[in-house]
Amino acid sequence: MQKSDATGTQKLDEKTLRDELRGYRTQIPDQPGLNPIVNVAFGLSRRLESGEISFSDLRALATRLMDRAAVRRALRLRERIDYVDDATTLAEFSRFVAETVGSDANTDKAFEAFTGRWSRARSGIVFTAHPTFGVSDEMTRKMIDIAM
């Protein structure tokens, strides 16, 4: 097998592992206690023990999977916020703010309407200690760049 670089070889193909995972999932009706993730991990462990793959191979696989997941997450964010470009976003936001203020000449009444509209939470955030959510500032910036 040829080495791709110091981070490992291409011995671990994501598509093959995904197919293996799907194969285990099809067995669940006959084996309800089967855990496909554990079985794939066990297979990887056996391959590691036998020397068929190395820690570098596992590291390279993990890096590819994490990078792909980060890009997908950023693209879903872009889709969810419906980002087009800065000018479009600013124009839509300005129009939205103008609509929430209304055209009432009474500034107190207009401000009440504005406050009522913008005081309500629109989305939430979940705080957890799970390592999946321990994204570095650098990774967060990269995801924002992809989303924008």
Side-chain angles (χ1 to χ4, degrees):
M1 300 270 166
Q2 63 187 52
K3 288 268 186 185
S4 58
D5 60 18
T7 61
T9 66
Q10 294 293 320
K11 290 180 186 177
L12 293 173
D13 176 53
E14 297 94 298
K15 183 180 180 329
T16 302
L17 290 171
R18 195 172 30 249
D19 290 344
E20 185 179 337
L21 185 63
R22 284 186 185 119
Y24 283 123
R25 286 182 177 150
T26 63
Q27 297 174 30
I28 291 175
D30 297 325
Q31 300 176 53
L34 179 74
N35 184 327
I37 302 288
V38 170
N39 282 52
V40 170
F42 183 71
L44 288 171
S45 175
R46 289 288 191 176
R47 291 172 68 187
L48 183 63
E49 289 170 2
S50 72
E52 182 183 340
I53 60 173
S54 67
F55 282 114
S56 297
D57 298 324
L58 285 173
R59 186 180 308 114
L61 172 67
T63 299
R64 290 191 310 270
L65 293 174
M66 288 186 297
D67 288 351
R68 188 173 299 130
V71 169
R72 285 182 180 154
R73 186 181 297 170
L75 292 174
R76 280 193 309 269
L77 173 62
R78 179 187 186 108
E79 185 178 306
R80 189 169 48 231
I81 63 173
D82 199 25
Y83 179 80
V84 176
D85 58 46
D86 289 348
T88 302
T89 300
L90 187 57
E92 287 176 356
F93 181 73
S94 297
R95 187 171 43 254
F96 184 70
V97 169
E99 289 170 3
T100 61
V101 170
S103 58
D104 197 316
N106 181 341
T107 56
D108 289 338
K109 193 172 181 181
F111 185 71
E112 278 182 40
F114 178 83
T115 303
R117 176 71 172 105
W118 288 92
S119 294
R120 184 176 57 81
R122 306 254 177 296
S123 62
I125 186 168
V126 176
F127 293 97
T128 179
H130 192 285
T132 300
F133 300 102
V135 178
S136 69
D137 289 343
E138 181 182 1
M139 179 60 78
T140 299
R141 281 191 293 280
K142 287 179 182 181
M143 290 174 65
I144 290 169
D145 288 343
I146 292 168
M148 305 300 271

